Amino acid sequence: LLLESPRTGIPEALALEGEQAEIPDWVPSSVANCTSFRWNMRRTMKAVEQLLDGFRGDATRVTDKMPTNFLHLGLIALLFPGATIIHCRRNPMDVLVSAYCQNLSPPFCDLQALVAYHRQYRRLMAYWEEVLPLKIHSIDYETLVTDPEPSVRAMIEHCDLPWDSACLAFHSNRRSVHTPSKWQVRQPMYSTSIDRWRRFESHVGAFARQIEEEIRVESIATDDRIGQDDIAARRSSSPLTSAMPLASLR
């Protein structure tokens, strides 16, 4: 699954990964759709399987690219304990300005609401990374577009897929794309969107300073609270690692 704070760069990452012959299709919002069901594991698992069956055909792997799946990673860990997660990150101010310029629905059309949304997204992802036993690989948009091959190779390796040089020619893929980034994935890799928010700095500078201070405080709190060894220990002892096997839910 690929996830992000919306407008971070999932279409580009999906296009890169999608050049793999083993991943011919993607599922829009499968897990998010199923969380509207009453919390019943058998029913939820059956619903997810039905959605997957409608998309995957003969595919051995399926990519779900709903950005807000970060909200459901706890459920995903229970339903798919072997899932591979790609977490796309980007300068928060570029994310906010990009979302705001797309004229999306709330909270993505309100800059103050976007600041709060991104804050909660960061907090939730930090929590998931501490406690879940899932394979979460983070990829930074800025690194991806300025030096693609190392980032793409690391992502492909994380997914246990063989390397294919076609991954670097993702813009040649003619698959259907129905997101606001539909034209970007038809272009070769470009870096002109890095620090795009600075074009509007006179209008959004206060938000940038607020986010910068929040991230500084979050970093200090994280360093004080937990180290890398503790993170590994928490994952291994997480109650989700001993969750009931999915086979018993069917």
Side-chain angles (χ1 to χ4, degrees), residues 207-224:
F207 296 112
R209 290 188 291 274
Q210 178 182 346
I211 291 174
E212 182 179 14
E213 177 61 17
E214 288 179 357
I215 291 176
R216 185 188 69 81
V217 172
E218 290 165 10
S219 298
I220 293 172
T222 300
D223 291 343
D224 289 344

Side-chain angles (χ1 to χ4, degrees), residues 118-182:
H118 202 276
R119 180 192 313 122
Q120 299 305 329
Y121 146 76
R122 295 193 308 270
R123 293 177 62 190
L124 186 56
M125 280 306 304
Y127 174 73
W128 292 139
E129 289 174 345
E130 288 183 14
V131 303
L132 293 183
L134 294 172
K135 295 170 57 181
I136 301 177
H137 175 75
S138 295
I139 183 169
D140 293 317
Y141 174 87
E142 292 79 8
T143 303
L144 175 66
V145 299
T146 54
D147 190 14
E149 186 166 342
S151 295
V152 178
R153 282 185 177 274
M155 180 173 64
I156 296 301
E157 181 179 356
H158 179 75
C159 296
D160 295 322
L161 294 169
W163 172 251
D164 188 334
S165 58
C167 292
L168 298 176
F170 66 93
H171 55 284
S172 300
N173 192 316
R174 306 319 297 174
R175 70 171 61 204
S176 178
V177 179
H178 303 284
T179 72
S181 296
K182 55 185 175 290

Side-chain angles (χ1 to χ4, degrees), residues 126-134 231 234-241:
Y127 174 73
W128 292 139
E129 289 174 345
E130 288 183 14
V131 303
L132 293 183
L134 294 172
I231 289 176
R234 286 194 185 191
R235 283 182 176 169
S236 64
S237 62
S238 168
L240 291 175
T241 60

